[in-house]
Amino acid sequence: MTLDYTGSTGMQLTFTRRELLKSGVAAGAIALAPAGSGGRASAQPGKTGPIDELLDHDTIDLAEMIKSKQISRIELLDVVINRIETSNPTLNFMTTRAYDRARERAQMISEDAPFAGVPFLMKDMVDVGGMHRTDGSKLLEKNVPESNVLYVDAIEEAGLNIIGMTNVPELASYIMTDNALYGPTLNPWNLEYSAYTSSGGAAAAVAAGVLTMVHGTDGAGSNRLPPSATGIFGMKPSRGRKLSGEADGGHDLAKTNQAISRTVRENAALFDLTEDKSGGAYKPVGFVEGPSDRRLKIGYVANPRTMVPVEPEVLAAQKSTANLLEDLGHNVIEVEFPVDEQQMQENYFAFFAGKVGGLKALVEQVSGKPVLESGLLTRLLASNVEYSVNNYTPADIEAGIAYLQSLSEVFANVFSEIDVMLAPISPVVCPKLDEASYDDLWSDEVANFMMGRLRFTAPINPAGIPAMSVPLNWGATSGMPIGSHFIAGAGNERTLFELAYELEEARPWRNRWAPYSLKFMEQFASLPDQEPVSTPVILGEDNIPEGFTPPDLL
C-alpha cells in the first residue's frame, strides 16, 4: 500500500509501509539502549545524513500522518526514542525518561485529538502526575507529584504523548542549563557553548531534531534565551493567558508555560489548545493561522544601554532584523528600553530572595546540616540562600515585588505609542560552558554576570506581557544563532504570532540545522558520550513537605 501526504514543506511525501520499516520508523526495525541506561542507540551504525525520513516534518505533519494511517502512534514513539538515545549521550538534554508510560498512553489517545499521539517532552519544572519532577536539584531527586497541573491536563487532552522531561539548572536559579544531578546540556550548534537558561534542555532537544516542538517555561527569559542560542522559535505568553501550570491553580508573578518549536504554526496550535478559554484574564486568541496585512509601528532598541557590553554580532543581528522589518513595510522607529538596569537588578534579587530564602530551613531540617554543607543544593544556590536570608528583610522583599509589579504600567505606557518592541535577547550571543559554574559562591560578580545577560528578558516577566524569540540571524564570526526579541502589550499574542509567520516566510529558518543535530548522523558516531553524573539517592518522597512549591526562577 502506498500512502501520500503533502507536508508543510510543500513536498509530496510518498511512503510505502516497507519503506517506513526500512528507514527505521517501525518498532521492529529499531534496536534501542534500555531506557535510562545512558547508552547510545545502535539502530543504524555508520549511518550518515538524517537519522530517519521523518526529521523534516513538524508536529502537525506527524499528527496528520497518524490520522491518515501512514504511521502508528507506537511506531512514531519508537522513532523518537531512537532519536533521544542516539543524541542524548552527547548533548545531555534529558532528565526523566517515561517510555513505558508513553507506550501505555499511546493505546488510549484518540486519533481525533488534535495531535493524535505525537510524542512530547516536558521541561523538568512542572507537575506531571506519576513522573519525577526534580527541577535539576538533589533536593527533589525523588519528588513524584501525584497529579497533573491544569496545563499538563490540556497538553494530554490535545493528544500529545509525554515521553520524558528535559534538563534544567538547579531550581532554574543559574544562567546555564547545568546542575549537579544530571550535568550540563550542550548546544547542538557548538559543543563548547551552553544552551543558555532553564529551557536549555528543551531547546537543545528541538535544535537536535528529537522533536520539532517541546514544552518550556519562562521565568526571566527561558523561552527566549535558549531558542535564541539554538536557532529555533520560542514564545512567552502574557501572565494569566494559559491554564495554570502551578499546583495551587494560580499564576506566578514571573513564570509562564508555552512551547519552543521549529515552526510557528505548531507553536500557535499548542497555544490555542492550552490557553484559558474562560476569558478571565484575556479574551481567547484561538489558533492564529498566518500573517496579517496590518503594518506595525515597531520600536527598535538600536543603542541599548547595558552593564555588559553588547557584542558586535548582536548589534549586527538587531540591525539586520530592523532592515528586514522596514523592507516588509513596517514603520520602524528608534526607542529606549524603558527599564533602569540597576533598579531592576536590586529589586529582582530582593524578589529572588523571597523565592529562595525559605529553602534554608527546609534543607537544614531534611539534612541536619547547615545549608552549605548539606549536599542537597549546589554551592552557588546554597550560598545565595545564605546571602538572601542574611541581607534581605521582609520589607525589602515586599518593596522588590512592588517594583516588579510596577513594570506593567511602565510597559503599558510604551505600548500606547508602539505596537511591538524589537530589543536584543541578550547582550551576548551565548555563554560558553566554562564561563561560570554552579560550584561558584554567590557574589556581586556572579549577580552582575547573571543579570547583565537577563537585561532585556527578565523585566518582561513581572510586567506580565508576551514576547518571542525569532531565529533570523547567525553570527558571521561565531556561526551561532542570534534570536530577535519581539515584545508586545499585555494580551497581544496574536500580533506576535502574525508577525512571526511573516518573518518565517521572509527569512525561513526551519531547514537550517545545527552541526550536532540528527540531520548529520556522522557527527554523533565520532563523539564520546558525556561522563555520567553520580546521583546517589539522598531523599525519599517523605522528605518533601506537603504543599512545597519549588522556587523556580529563570
Side-chain angles (χ1 to χ4, degrees), residues 335-398:
V335 297
E336 295 287 333
F337 194 71
V339 180
D340 180 85
E341 188 168 14
Q342 191 60 45
Q343 278 190 316
M344 178 65 194
Q345 177 162 327
E346 291 171 359
N347 287 283
Y348 184 82
F349 282 121
F351 165 71
F352 197 104
K355 286 263 194 175
V356 303
L359 287 173
K360 179 177 171 66
L362 171 63
V363 169
E364 293 181 350
Q365 176 187 346
V366 168
S367 68
K369 298 177 181 178
V371 64
L372 267 166
E373 299 173 16
S374 68
L376 299 185
L377 299 178
T378 59
R379 277 166 50 90
L380 183 63
L381 181 54
S383 58
N384 177 265
V385 168
E386 287 278 19
Y387 181 87
S388 296
V389 169
N390 294 330
N391 288 275
Y392 292 95
T393 67
D396 293 332
I397 294 168
E398 287 181 14

Side-chain angles (χ1 to χ4, degrees), residues 20 35 66 113 194 244 296 347 464 487:
L20 288 170
I66 292 172
S194 72
S244 173
L296 303 172
N347 287 283
I487 309 159

Side-chain angles (χ1 to χ4, degrees), residues 266-531:
E266 59 192 327
N267 204 301
L270 185 63
F271 184 94
D272 173 30
L273 294 164
T274 55
E275 72 173 331
D276 184 349
K277 302 291 189 183
S278 71
Y282 303 101
K283 181 181 177 182
V285 172
F287 178 47
V288 182
E289 297 185 17
S292 169
D293 293 333
R294 178 187 172 206
R295 298 299 84 188
L296 303 172
K297 185 177 182 180
I298 298 176
Y300 164 41
V301 182
N303 299 295
R305 301 174 183 176
T306 62
M307 291 187 298
V308 175
V310 182
E311 293 179 348
E313 286 190 336
V314 173
L315 290 174
Q318 285 288 101
K319 181 61 177 174
S320 172
T321 297
N323 290 342
L324 174 62
L325 293 166
E326 289 183 326
D327 290 344
L328 293 170
H330 297 288
N331 178 19
V332 179
I333 62 169
E334 292 192 11
V335 297
E336 295 287 333
F337 194 71
V339 180
D340 180 85
E341 188 168 14
Q342 191 60 45
Q343 278 190 316
M344 178 65 194
Q345 177 162 327
E346 291 171 359
N347 287 283
Y348 184 82
F349 282 121
F351 165 71
F352 197 104
K355 286 263 194 175
V356 303
L359 287 173
K360 179 177 171 66
L362 171 63
V363 169
E364 293 181 350
Q365 176 187 346
V366 168
S367 68
K369 298 177 181 178
V371 64
L372 267 166
E373 299 173 16
S374 68
L376 299 185
L377 299 178
T378 59
R379 277 166 50 90
L380 183 63
L381 181 54
S383 58
N384 177 265
V385 168
E386 287 278 19
Y387 181 87
S388 296
V389 169
N390 294 330
N391 288 275
Y392 292 95
T393 67
D396 293 332
I397 294 168
E398 287 181 14
I401 293 171
Y403 170 82
L404 296 183
Q405 290 172 330
S406 74
L407 295 177
S408 295
E409 184 176 355
V410 170
F411 279 97
N413 291 334
V414 169
F415 291 111
S416 68
E417 301 293 331
I418 60 175
D419 298 309
V420 170
M421 178 181 287
L422 168 64
I425 291 283
S426 172
V428 304
V429 172
C430 181
K432 290 187 175 182
L433 286 163
D434 61 2
E435 287 186 40
S437 170
Y438 59 71
D439 279 331
D440 295 335
L441 290 173
W442 186 257
S443 64
D444 289 345
E445 182 181 10
V446 171
N448 291 339
F449 182 89
M450 178 185 293
M451 288 306 295
R453 284 151 183 78
L454 302 177
R455 163 72 169 127
F456 301 105
T457 56
I460 306 310
N461 295 72
I465 57 179
M468 64 182 182
S469 176
V470 185
L472 298 174
N473 298 282
W474 272 253
T477 302
S478 69
M480 294 293 289
I482 304 170
S484 295
H485 190 200
F486 293 95
I487 309 159
N492 210 4
E493 289 90 347
R494 173 172 288 277
T495 296
L496 291 182
F497 273 121
E498 289 172 343
L499 178 59
Y501 275 116
E502 183 178 10
L503 294 169
E504 186 179 36
E505 290 180 4
R507 193 178 285 179
W509 61 77
R510 71 176 292 173
N511 291 322
R512 292 194 73 154
W513 286 89
Y516 298 97
S517 70
L518 293 165
K519 194 75 169 176
F520 310 109
M521 282 289 288
E522 57 272 22
Q523 294 281 29
F524 290 101
S526 63
L527 289 170
D529 296 353
Q530 285 198 48
E531 291 294 322

Side-chain angles (χ1 to χ4, degrees), residues 64-82:
E64 289 301 321
M65 293 180 75
I66 292 172
K67 293 177 182 183
S68 62
K69 310 297 184 185
Q70 294 189 64
I71 191 169
S72 74
R73 293 186 294 274
I74 291 293
E75 288 168 343
L76 183 56
L77 177 59
D78 283 326
V79 167
V80 176
I81 291 173
N82 189 43

